[in-house]
Amino acid sequence: MNELNIALEHIYDDLKYKENINIIEVGTGYGNNSTCVLYNYFKNKGKKFNLHSYEGLKKCFIKASEKWSKFGNVKIFNEYFCNKEDIQKLLIPNIPEYIVDYKEDNKRLINKYSNLKLDGNITNNINILPDIIFIDCSRFMHLTIINKC
């Protein structure tokens, strides 16, 4: 995660005079990687900050919630950070026919995203005005996330 620290150094120059920094992370996973880097970076800067992190997968959300439950300025949400209709309109049509680095065609991913159970698991309200939005999830979700923003 050294690359993330380098990127944060560049971003920090624009934020260092803010009293409180609001961060949205999309793709918490288990909360062990980028969530830790973001938290530690701003903690080490001595800045007040809020970190709202979104994870759509229940098993990852549960682990991340357990890990971060004692941190008052970190909130983990079990929500997909997108608009529900964008899964069908933006994500699925833009999955390439063959994914070179996965060494497979698009059938598995189309099936995966077509069968997502999203009822009640979509971000409706963003409770902070973010200074930083960090996307750390499947690249196929990026367009839906950007559209949500």
Side-chain angles (χ1 to χ4, degrees):
M1 280 295 167
N2 190 33
E3 298 90 7
L4 179 52
N5 280 311
I6 292 168
L8 289 170
E9 280 297 319
H10 292 290
I11 294 167
Y12 186 73
D13 282 343
D14 294 330
L15 301 174
K16 63 186 170 190
Y17 299 109
K18 288 188 65 83
E19 188 174 317
N20 192 43
I21 297 172
N22 291 319
I23 306 154
I24 288 179
E25 175 188 32
V26 181
T28 315
Y30 293 113
N32 295 325
N33 295 314
S34 57
T35 311
C36 290
V37 173
L38 291 164
Y39 180 87
N40 289 327
Y41 181 85
F42 289 102
K43 180 181 176 220
N44 291 338
K45 291 289 186 185
K47 295 297 291 186
K48 289 183 184 177
F49 66 95
N50 297 298
L51 174 56
H52 286 200
S53 191
Y54 294 83
E55 176 54 55
L57 298 176
K58 187 76 166 180
K59 67 179 184 175
C60 294
F61 164 75
I62 290 169
K63 291 284 189 188
S65 291
E66 291 169 357
K67 178 179 180 69
W68 293 99
S69 65
K70 294 182 174 86
F71 296 80
N73 61 337
V74 177
K75 293 186 175 141
I76 311 294
F77 298 90
N78 183 211
E79 297 174 348
Y80 284 93
F81 195 89
C82 65
N83 298 312
K84 186 175 184 176
E85 63 275 8
D86 287 347
I87 299 294
Q88 294 298 321
K89 289 178 10 184
L90 296 175
L91 188 150
I92 292 172
N94 287 297
I95 297 175
E97 287 185 34
Y98 186 79
I99 299 103
V100 175
D101 53 324
Y102 288 19
K103 296 183 177 134
E104 65 177 303
D105 64 23
N106 62 6
K107 289 180 181 71
R108 181 183 63 83
L109 290 172
I110 288 173
N111 187 51
K112 171 186 173 181
Y113 291 119
S114 295
N115 293 310
L116 278 179
K117 306 258 188 280
L118 297 176
D119 295 329
N121 201 19
I122 293 284
T123 300
N124 289 317
N125 297 312
I126 302 166
N127 298 320
I128 62 172
L129 180 62
D131 299 298
I132 298 171
I133 298 175
F134 180 72
I135 301 173
D136 187 16
C137 66
S138 167
R139 67 182 175 269
F140 303 111
M141 290 292 290
H142 289 188
L143 185 56
T144 64
I145 292 164
I146 291 166
N147 195 50
K148 180 73 173 186
C149 294

